[in-house]
Amino acid sequence: MIEQCLNELKLITSNSYEKYTKEEVNNFESTMQIKFPIALKEYYSIIGKSRNHLSFLPFEDIEIIDDIMTFFKDEDSIFGIKLDNKEKEDPPVYQRFLTEDTGRWYCEGKCSYFILNFIALEIVYSLPYMTKVRISRNRFSELIEKKLIKINKNALSEIFTDEHRKVLVVFINRCTPTLYIASHNKSYITNIVENTGIKINIKENSNT
């Protein structure tokens, strides 16, 4: 489902990744009496044991809250999958804000979309250089997309790279369409927007 996309993303970053073995995944499912959806199982089986992506929970921190199996947590929210949806191939992910007392969970879209979107953006911010620019989908298609190779397209984002796998490009087409471009080298970012008239400000990521 997302195995090929995750492997493509690994080629762009120099991060080293650890994974859970098939036996570890099966043992965890048996112990917790759960079954991972395909996309989540692929995540843990390809890069999920590494701590490059700190918001994704390791097995020891996964909890069942309100009949939802949590697997992702940031400063403001926790995310998970309803246990009664665990048999579905690509169930929705639900979010609960830690600042709210209501205990309400909000649907965030399919599991595969959620994982790829967050992994791609985390890699953007882990690469040494990046830029972010607001641009319409039509303008992106006209000026930039033809230079790129598409890795994935879903309801949350579109993910691209170049033919040399030196650049990661993520287009978020939501309320405010935003284009992210990141690389190990500034010149690769510049090449993507060359002769387009798009003005960018390349920044050095502080966490690299």
Side-chain angles (χ1 to χ4, degrees):
M1 179 173 288
I2 64 170
E3 180 177 1
Q4 182 177 349
C5 299
L6 289 176
N7 285 323
E8 287 275 0
L9 290 171
K10 284 173 61 178
L11 295 175
I12 302 170
T13 176
S14 60
N15 293 335
S16 59
Y17 293 97
E18 293 182 66
K19 61 184 181 180
Y20 287 96
T21 65
K22 182 178 180 180
E23 182 179 12
E24 287 177 313
V25 173
N26 291 339
N27 286 343
F28 181 78
E29 288 181 319
S30 177
T31 300
M32 295 289 289
Q33 295 185 330
I34 60 172
K35 186 175 179 61
F36 285 132
I38 294 173
L40 192 57
K41 180 175 286 191
E42 288 177 341
Y43 164 77
Y44 280 114
S45 300
I46 295 171
I47 59 175
K49 204 172 188 177
S50 66
R51 303 313 299 138
N52 301 87
H53 308 291
L54 298 178
S55 297
F56 284 86
L57 300 177
F59 282 173
E60 60 266 25
D61 292 336
I62 290 177
E63 299 179 279
I64 307 298
I65 303 175
D66 300 333
D67 290 324
I68 290 179
M69 181 192 72
T70 63
F71 67 90
F72 186 100
K73 185 177 183 179
D74 59 24
E75 294 180 355
D76 304 312
S77 306
I78 191 164
F79 300 79
I81 297 165
K82 288 185 177 181
L83 291 179
D84 58 4
N85 282 330
K86 66 183 184 299
E87 298 296 338
K88 292 184 178 179
E89 188 172 278
D90 199 12
V93 171
Y94 289 85
Q95 174 188 22
R96 192 182 82 180
F97 292 102
L98 299 176
T99 53
E100 288 186 0
D101 296 328
T102 62
R104 182 178 177 183
W105 293 84
Y106 303 87
C107 185
E108 287 294 307
K110 291 184 177 181
C111 183
S112 62
Y113 299 173
F114 178 90
I115 293 172
L116 287 177
N117 188 50
F118 272 95
I119 292 297
L121 287 178
E122 285 195 339
I123 291 176
V124 162
Y125 283 97
S126 74
L127 290 168
Y129 302 100
M130 63 88 64
T131 188
K132 180 173 71 171
V133 62
R134 293 181 179 179
I135 183 174
S136 70
R137 182 64 182 82
N138 288 341
R139 195 168 181 223
F140 169 71
S141 178
E142 177 185 351
L143 298 176
I144 297 179
E145 187 174 4
K146 57 190 175 184
K147 300 181 179 182
L148 303 170
I149 298 170
K150 184 175 291 184
I151 296 176
N152 183 264
K153 177 180 180 180
N154 59 60
L156 298 180
S157 64
E158 296 177 68
I159 305 169
F160 304 84
T161 187
D162 66 333
E163 60 179 336
H164 304 294
R165 304 302 192 271
K166 299 294 185 182
V167 177
L168 177 60
V169 177
V170 182
F171 184 79
I172 307 293
N173 192 17
R174 302 187 82 175
C175 299
T176 304
T178 305
L179 177 68
Y180 299 81
I181 310 174
S183 179
H184 291 282
N185 192 305
K186 288 183 180 181
S187 65
Y188 290 115
I189 298 176
T190 303
N191 289 342
I192 294 297
V193 298
E194 189 175 19
N195 299 322
T196 64
I198 298 173
K199 295 181 180 180
I200 61 171
N201 179 24
I202 299 176
K203 298 180 178 180
E204 187 171 352
N205 280 325
S206 59
N207 58 342
T208 58

